[in-house]
């Protein structure tokens, strides 16, 4: 699968033994200790698992929108537009926010 955003995430997460990859959500999802951390779609958009406590803070960031599955609002999951993650520093910030939530979860 050709996915430049997934390649960028792979490089940023390289060497972390807690990280695995899985094809999900129409792209590549990176899991930490078995929990979804961040997912990259082919169009460059990412979905970030921030948890419910940080949902509103995440939504206040540029390019962020709430994940909605069917009619259900998925609090804790945020879509980020591709043009808002063009630099690695911003992508690292999203990873850090997701990691804050995911590392507090019991490993699967």
């Amino acid at each position: 699968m050709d996915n430049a955003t997934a390649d960028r995430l792979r490089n940023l997460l390289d060497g972390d033994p807690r990280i695995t990859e899985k094809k999900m959500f129409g792209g590549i999802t990176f899991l930490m200790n078995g929990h979804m951390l961040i997912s990259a779609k082919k169009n460059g958009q990412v979905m970030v698992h921030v948890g419910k406590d940080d949902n509103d803070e995440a939504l206040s960031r540029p390019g962020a929108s709430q994940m909605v599955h069917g009619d259900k609002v998925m609090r804790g999951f945020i879509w980020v537009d591709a043009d808002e993650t063009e630099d690695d520093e911003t992508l690292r910030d999203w990873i850090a926010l997701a990691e804050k939530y995911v590392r507090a979860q019991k490993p699967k």
Side-chain angles (χ1 to χ4, degrees):
M1 172 181 286
D2 180 26
N3 188 327
T5 305
D7 289 341
R8 288 178 56 221
L9 287 167
R10 196 173 287 116
N11 287 335
L12 293 171
L13 296 166
D14 187 43
D16 189 329
R18 303 169 297 173
I19 301 294
T20 57
E21 294 181 31
K22 187 173 184 177
K23 289 182 181 181
M24 296 171 63
F25 306 113
I28 303 291
T29 297
F30 295 86
L31 304 139
M32 177 180 279
N33 295 328
H35 296 275
M36 188 256 180
L37 182 71
I38 191 166
S39 182
K41 293 187 75 163
K42 286 183 187 180
N43 67 4
Q45 188 178 36
V46 295
M47 182 181 16
V48 187
H49 190 187
V50 300
K52 292 178 182 177
D53 289 347
D54 287 324
N55 191 85
D56 293 338
E57 187 275 323
L59 280 176
S60 72
R61 294 181 178 197
S65 60
Q66 189 68 64
M67 180 183 174
V68 178
H69 184 69
D71 293 335
K72 186 175 180 186
V73 172
M74 305 295 292
R75 282 189 58 79
F77 293 90
I78 303 294
W79 284 110
V80 184
D81 295 337
D83 58 347
E84 294 297 335
T85 60
E86 290 178 346
D87 67 86
D88 286 350
E89 186 174 327
T90 302
L91 206 46
R92 275 189 199 98
D93 287 344
W94 281 108
I95 292 168
L97 185 60
E99 188 175 352
K100 175 184 166 191
Y101 172 72
V102 174
R103 76 171 171 247
Q105 306 306 305
K106 192 174 197 175
K108 289 185 176 181

